Amino acid sequence: MAEQGTYVEPGREYTRDTRYIETRITADGRDGYPVEAGRYRLVAARACPWANRSIIVRRLLGLEDAISMGLSGPTHDARSWTFDLDPGGVDPVLGIERLQQAYFARTPDYPRGITVPAIVDIPSGAVVTNNYPQITLDFSTEWTAYHRDGAPDLYPEHLRDEIDEVAGLVYRDVNNGVYRCGFAGSQEAYEKAYDQLFSRIDWLEERLATQRYLVGDTITEADVRLFTTLARFDAVYHGHFKCNRSKLSEMPVLWAYARDLFTTPGFGDTIDFAQIKEHYYVVHRDVNPNGIIPKGPDLAGWLEPHHREQLGGRPFGDGTPPGPVPADEQVPAHATPLH
């Protein structure tokens, strides 16, 4: 997501605006947007953890041919994410320079943040939804007609209550918790968020010490949601957001868990560490006034053996790993240790 404008309000606790466009794309088309291959474009940014979720789930389920993807650059101004990575700075499918244009096509003078991920209806050029938690769930449950052969069940019906519960705790204390630390406007607000964050991390260390994945014995939506925060922890949150009790690489269980997922097809091959660092350190000028991007950390550790397979588990259940990343969606070699 983009948090336009001022990030830190002096004296105040950071509160995320979670009022999203709740229209859904469904198999029955009840909101006016039926599932249809080629009709919609996922606009994401590799820098953003919330958008990264949708990139991972789209890839795990094999939806690349059904839902095209446009990628914003890692930085944005106060108005909007922009398509800096495309020739001429224009998205080649939507024909726009700013994601804001697609929001305005849906709601003129759209009053809230221009966020990623967003799904755009290509014929009208209008955003359908930016409700990122629902987007990935709908990829799993509404787009089944277009899943690849061997696609995993990331939201199995018999585990949904537990997945929702765990994901809710992780969102409150970890996914959003790092932002509540980084954008805290007072010492009190920061320390409260910090304590909640690391209390939950201790809980996760204990939970994952005896099971390979968060819920059940396969990868689920809950793992996707935790992973995108862990992938950014040492590169950004530890220093930039002052989440510095310990680095991820100093948390034995979570570090091994994160490496396990990172080396699983569909996870690490979506991570662009260069874009991640550029986004946070350049855009958040009230946290990092000079916009200096750190050189570290060393990424080689992500490929160290994790030994998590000793806990059992079947990453894709009865399914199979996704195939190679499409050539036009590969992360540049300099931005990941996987190359």
Side-chain angles (χ1 to χ4, degrees):
M1 285 177 285
E3 296 88 5
Q4 275 86 12
T6 301
Y7 305 92
V8 179
E9 295 186 52
R12 299 190 62 180
E13 180 177 322
Y14 171 69
T15 302
R16 182 177 299 279
D17 183 354
T18 56
R19 296 170 296 164
Y20 302 112
I21 301 171
E22 296 184 355
T23 308
R24 293 174 60 190
I25 300 167
T26 57
D28 63 8
R30 58 185 177 272
D31 286 356
Y33 294 96
V35 164
E36 183 181 331
R39 176 172 172 176
Y40 306 100
R41 186 161 177 81
L42 170 67
V43 177
R46 293 196 186 278
C48 170
W50 318 97
N52 196 175
R53 299 175 178 187
S54 61
I55 299 173
I56 291 171
V57 172
R58 172 179 173 270
R59 173 152 160 65
L60 291 177
L61 299 177
L63 290 171
E64 293 96 334
D65 291 338
I67 306 169
S68 69
M69 181 170 69
L71 291 172
S72 302
T75 62
H76 59 76
D77 58 24
R79 291 167 56 198
S80 174
W81 292 87
T82 52
F83 295 98
D84 311 333
L85 307 176
D86 293 307
V90 175
D91 180 272
V93 172
L94 300 175
I96 57 177
E97 298 176 346
R98 294 176 169 275
L99 181 54
Q100 183 185 55
Q101 293 167 261
Y103 277 80
F104 286 174
R106 170 69 184 264
T107 305
D109 298 322
Y110 181 77
R112 296 191 290 278
I114 307 300
T115 65
V116 290
I119 298 184
V120 179
D121 177 47
I122 296 172
S124 67
V127 168
V128 178
T129 181
N130 63 341
N131 188 358
Y132 70 92
Q134 193 62 50
I135 286 172
T136 50
L137 296 180
D138 284 346
F139 281 176
S140 285
T141 60
E142 300 292 335
W143 286 83
T144 53
Y146 296 99
H147 287 184
R148 65 179 175 85
D149 291 339
D153 187 353
L154 300 176
Y155 198 47
E157 194 161 357
H158 69 289
L159 294 176
R160 287 181 187 178
D161 287 346
E162 187 177 359
I163 291 170
D164 292 347
E165 179 184 6
V166 171
L169 295 171
V170 168
Y171 167 79
R172 185 191 69 191
D173 299 335
V174 181
N175 300 144
N176 195 47
V178 294
Y179 285 84
R180 291 176 60 237
C181 289
F183 295 156
S186 71
Q187 188 71 33
E188 180 183 9
Y190 162 70
E191 292 186 9
K192 177 182 176 183
Y194 178 101
D195 290 344
Q196 284 184 253
L197 166 65
F198 283 102
S199 176
R200 184 61 56 196
I201 280 176
D202 291 341
W203 180 83
L204 288 165
E205 282 268 302
E206 182 177 353
R207 183 181 183 93
L208 289 165
T210 55
Q211 60 189 66
R212 191 171 179 185
Y213 304 111
L214 278 173
V215 181
D217 67 349
T218 64
I219 291 167
T220 68
E221 174 80 17
D223 298 294
V224 175
R225 294 186 180 195
L226 176 57
F227 172 77
T228 59
T229 295
L230 296 182
R232 290 157 176 77
F233 201 91
D234 286 2
V236 177
Y237 303 142
H238 178 270
H240 184 58
F241 278 177
K242 306 179 186 70
C243 302
N244 62 353
R245 190 188 77 176
S246 52
K247 297 176 183 175
L248 174 65
S249 59
E250 296 166 346
M251 307 172 198
V253 173
L254 275 176
W255 178 220
Y257 165 82
R259 298 200 313 276
D260 186 5
L261 290 176
F262 185 84
T263 53
T264 299
F267 284 84
D269 52 32
T270 73
I271 299 295
D272 188 318
F273 285 105
Q275 286 198 24
I276 287 168
K277 291 198 298 183
E278 183 178 357
H279 170 70
Y280 284 92
Y281 287 103
V282 171
V283 171
H284 301 160
R285 287 302 179 102
D286 47 355
V287 178
N288 186 45
N290 294 325
I292 294 171
I293 304 169
K295 290 185 68 174
D298 184 357
L299 301 178
W302 281 100
L303 300 183
E304 293 176 357
H306 54 76
H307 306 299
R308 294 282 293 177
E309 66 280 353
Q310 296 174 8
L311 293 172
R314 302 173 302 142
F316 297 98
D318 295 328
T320 58
V325 181
D328 61 347
E329 294 187 7
Q330 292 180 1
V331 175
H334 73 275
T336 174
L338 289 177
H339 294 278

